Every structure is written in structure tokens, then in C-alpha cells.
Amino acid sequence: MSPLQLGIGPQALYLHIPWCHSKCAYCDFYSTPANQDFGPYIDALLAEWSLISPFQPYTLYIGGGTPSILPFDQLQRLILGLNIDMMTLQEATIEANPEDVTPRWLEAIKTLGFNRVSMGVQSLRDPLLQAIGRHHSVADARHAVQLLLQSGLEYSIDLIYGLPGQSLDVWAQDLSEALSWQPSHISCYLLSYEPGTRLYARLITGKVEEASEQLATEMYHALCDIARQHGYHHYEISNFAIPGHEAVHNSRYWDGTPYIGLGASAHSYDGERRWSNPLSIKKYIENISRGVLPREIEEETLVNRINDAIITRLRTSTGLSLRDFARDFGPVACNKLIKQAQPLLALGALERQRSPGGAGLGRPSSGDYQQQGGNPGNPETLVIPEERWLVADAILRELIFED
């Protein structure tokens, strides 16, 4: 079944550009050094787009890798080849590294219709940047921010905490400086040591030490406090925004909206199935050149869909609407979820929030959701409190359904 045969249709379009100047020590995303011709890959992206019945998306996101590494003529060829109306997009984002942000590049992407840049800053200390293999300097990042401010484009920055040798004071100082620039959006991630990365190899050989649980917790709480003081809304585990500037495209992933991903390693979801493209530029291009969509399709069972909804919705400050859950999966599943949530609610690891005037759910354990006091006009939601988001994975494990 084509994604466009579904009632809602895909709304978000993602394009993966798999090249970087160099591989960061912590990165386990699919990327490769930029040592080959970009042309055949751009050809394949456009060919894949033509094979899936092109549509007009609401959002466009070009990620990677490092999309800002693309020569302008190739980026222009890609955008023009998509033949979408860039001016009507709710959001058109391109990822960049600070060393690539120049006045000429910013003017070029504005001309193409981009209205948002997501920039990987990661740290404001040169020794920490060097420790994780970043290609830019702190001076590069500060200069790029000034250029972004002058450009008038909306921009987001990424930061990492829990870096090797990073203290709580250093993290707080760097975060405060970054927020003083007033980016519309900021994403902050606790460093994860992923198997197969250079940083993981250093960890298991004792060359670096992982931040302690106590330090990571203190850094997370400092993040929440400092962001709040600067007027940011903490709307997803790792994401903060000036109210009204939450990332539209990324929010699609968390609210269950269908999306299409193009390129090597890209993922897609059509409301019923998830699929991914191969983690190989060569295999991706070879398949597309033969007119074959190189998809590994995962047909989702009802339990898969239930767990997807639990895991994605509870990443956000909006939480999981019990009315929507009952509508999508039935009252029996909803009551089972409520039953599984009770111990977490008692511990404060989950909260129930009511819309104004809501009748409330009480504590039903069986029977129909609406008959147990649920108000479909003013639904309750389950929400993980902000102070518990750092341990959200452990909370979610108590809620997921078994086959």
C-alpha cells in the first residue's frame, strides 16, 4: 500500500545527507567522510522521491551527517528537483556545523526557501570539542551565531552534557552563554557511549570516564532550571523552545504523524508500517538506479503500535491523552494502561493532568473508559514529570505492553 493511500497521508519529509567533514567520536548515526562525488547520491534522492508519488509536505528537514557540507549547486539541484512549494511549508530546516555557516551560505539557503537552521555546537570549550572529535572551534560557533542573528533565520543549537572532564560549573556557564544568544530552540543531550564509536572504545579501555549518575542528574536539573530562567519551554525530554517556536517537524515523530524519509539509512512511517533504507550509500544508489525502493519494512502489530504511542507521547510535556489512546486502541487497552500506570502514579513517576473542567478518570481498573468517568471532551493525560525525564526509559519499561 502506498503511503498516500492512507487517510491522513504523510506530512513531514526528511532527507538524509550522509557526509561529514569527519566522524565525531560519539556519533553512531550513519555518516561517512566526504570523499566522493555528491552527484549520484542527489540523483538517487530525486529518483526515490519520484518513485513514492511526490506530495506537498507541511515540513521539510534535511539532516545527516552534515547537510551544510553540500556544494550549493548540489543543494539547489536537490531542492528544485523536489518540486515542492517551499514558501508554504510550516517549517524548512537544514542542519549545519558552525564552520560551514557563512554569509554566502545563509543567503543561499534563504534563497532556496529554508527558514530554519539547526546547528551542532555541542560545547563552548575547545578542549571538550577536541575530546569528542568536533571539527569546529568555540570561536567558530560564536561567529556562526552572530551570522545567524544577522540573517533573520530562525535557528536551533545542539549541546551535549556529561562530556569527559566536563564539570557541573562548566556546563552551567556554557549553557547560560548559549541561552544568552536567545536561539528560538535548543536541544540538549546527555552523552551516550554507543558501541562501535571511538568514544566507546576509549571508555572500555579506561581512557575516558563516564559521568557519574549523580553528576548527570545535577547537570540535567541545572539544564531545566537555567532554561526556565531564560524563558524556555521544556516540551520534550531533550528539547527546549521559546514558547511558540517548538520544532514542528520533530514533533511529528512524537505525535504519530506519518512521515517519509529519503536517502541511505532514512526511516519512514505511514501510520501502519515503518520502514528503513539500507545503511550503505552504494546499496542505496544501486537499488534506486534499478527502480527499486530499498525498503526493509516492519509491519506493525497492534502491540507495536500501542507501545509506539506510549513511548513517543510520554517523551513530551503534552503527555499521552487517554481519550486518544482509547479511541485508537479501544477501552480494554486503555484500562490496561491505566492499571499498569497505578504504581508509577503512586510513586510520582507519572502524573495525571486534567484539562480545565475535566471530569477526571478516578482510578478505573476495568470496564469501558467513558463509563469509568473519563470525559472525552476534557481528557486526562498521563505525563512524566520533568524531574523524572532523565530516567524516562525505566518508567516506560513499566508501561509497555507484552505480545
Side-chain angles (χ1 to χ4, degrees):
M1 177 171 56
S2 163
L4 297 182
Q5 291 175 330
L6 293 174
I8 186 171
Q11 298 187 31
L13 176 62
Y14 173 83
L15 280 69
H16 189 73
I17 305 300
W19 292 286
C20 290
H21 294 294
S22 60
K23 186 81 169 180
C24 296
Y26 57 84
C27 181
D28 70 334
F29 291 113
Y30 178 65
S31 63
T32 185
N35 56 5
Q36 58 184 285
D37 180 15
F38 300 112
Y41 185 79
I42 301 300
D43 291 338
L45 284 174
L46 294 175
E48 184 183 10
W49 179 235
S50 69
L51 288 171
I52 63 155
S53 302
F55 59 95
Q56 175 63 34
Y58 291 120
T59 63
L60 171 68
Y61 193 105
I62 301 187
T66 309
S68 56
I69 208 171
L70 281 179
F72 176 68
D73 62 332
Q74 295 291 355
L75 180 61
Q76 181 183 50
R77 188 163 72 89
L78 174 60
I79 297 303
L80 295 180
L82 292 174
N83 195 30
I84 60 177
D85 187 349
M86 295 286 286
M87 296 301 107
T88 64
L89 295 175
Q90 290 180 308
E91 186 180 85
T93 301
I94 184 168
E95 290 182 347
N97 277 354
E99 66 269 25
D100 297 327
V101 176
T102 65
R104 183 178 178 183
W105 183 79
L106 290 169
E107 188 59 35
I109 64 168
K110 287 176 68 175
T111 300
L112 291 176
F114 289 95
N115 54 27
R116 187 172 181 274
V117 173
S118 178
M119 186 169 69
V121 173
Q122 315 312 2
S123 175
L124 293 179
R125 306 283 167 152
D126 283 326
L128 295 181
L129 290 172
Q130 293 162 11
I132 58 176
R134 293 294 290 175
H135 197 66
H136 71 275
S137 67
V138 175
D140 291 333
R142 289 173 176 148
H143 181 61
V145 167
Q146 292 305 310
L147 293 177
L148 283 162
L149 289 170
Q150 294 166 17
S151 75
L153 288 166
E154 189 163 328
Y155 75 100
S156 173
I157 61 175
D158 291 359
L159 293 175
I160 300 176
Y161 60 101
L163 294 169
Q166 185 183 41
S167 69
L168 176 60
D169 286 344
V170 163
W171 166 238
Q173 292 166 18
D174 291 355
L175 177 63
S176 295
E177 179 183 348
L179 293 180
S180 74
W181 304 334
Q182 295 187 308
S184 59
H185 187 279
I186 186 167
S187 300
C188 298
Y189 305 97
L190 176 63
L191 179 65
S192 176
Y193 290 81
E194 298 296 336
T197 64
R198 285 184 286 129
L199 202 57
Y200 180 80
R202 293 177 196 166
L203 177 69
I204 62 175
T205 56
K207 294 179 181 178
V208 297
E209 186 176 342
E210 190 170 7
S212 68
E213 183 177 342
Q214 179 180 347
L215 177 57
T217 300
E218 290 172 348
M219 287 179 161
Y220 171 74
H221 289 303
L223 165 62
C224 296
D225 292 342
I226 294 170
R228 189 179 303 111
Q229 292 162 16
H230 282 79
Y232 285 79
H233 171 215
H234 191 182
Y235 72 100
E236 193 270 344
I237 290 177
S238 302
N239 288 277
F240 302 75
I242 297 295
H245 295 272
E246 293 79 5
V248 179
H249 181 91
N250 288 348
S251 294
R252 304 287 188 196
Y253 301 144
W254 306 319
D255 68 12
T257 300
Y259 56 89
I260 295 294
L262 306 180
S265 82
H267 288 69
S268 302
Y269 172 61
D270 67 5
E272 293 183 358
R273 303 168 303 172
R274 297 185 185 276
W275 64 86
S276 59
N277 288 345
L279 280 80
S280 165
I281 295 174
K282 182 179 179 182
K283 288 182 179 178
Y284 169 72
I285 292 176
E286 287 177 349
N287 277 273
I288 294 296
S289 66
R290 299 198 313 269
V292 176
L293 289 171
R295 297 174 172 178
E296 182 176 331
I297 297 176
E298 176 187 346
E299 297 288 350
E300 293 222 305
T301 66
L302 176 60
V303 170
N304 291 150
R305 291 175 54 226
I306 286 172
N307 288 334
D308 285 344
I310 292 170
I311 291 168
T312 55
R313 308 307 195 279
L314 285 174
R315 292 183 61 88
T316 69
S317 61
T318 304
L320 175 63
S321 163
L322 293 174
R323 178 193 64 184
D324 291 350
F325 193 87
R327 177 200 65 207
D328 294 339
F329 306 115
V332 173
C334 187
N335 287 320
K336 179 178 179 180
L337 174 64
I338 294 167
K339 183 177 180 180
Q340 292 179 169
Q342 294 308 318
L344 295 168
L345 290 164
L347 291 171
L350 274 180
E351 293 179 350
R352 292 179 300 187
Q353 295 182 358
R354 296 178 176 84
S355 300
L361 271 173
R363 292 179 176 268
S365 58
S366 63
D368 183 81
Y369 165 70
Q370 293 187 26
Q371 292 177 358
Q372 293 290 336
N375 186 326
N378 296 284
E380 278 197 348
T381 59
L382 293 178
V383 178
I384 298 177
E386 182 187 48
E387 63 269 17
R388 302 289 189 115
W389 267 352
L390 197 61
V391 293
D393 287 350
I395 294 170
L396 293 170
R397 281 196 292 270
E398 300 300 316
L399 294 173
I400 61 173
F401 285 33
E402 299 293 337
D403 285 315

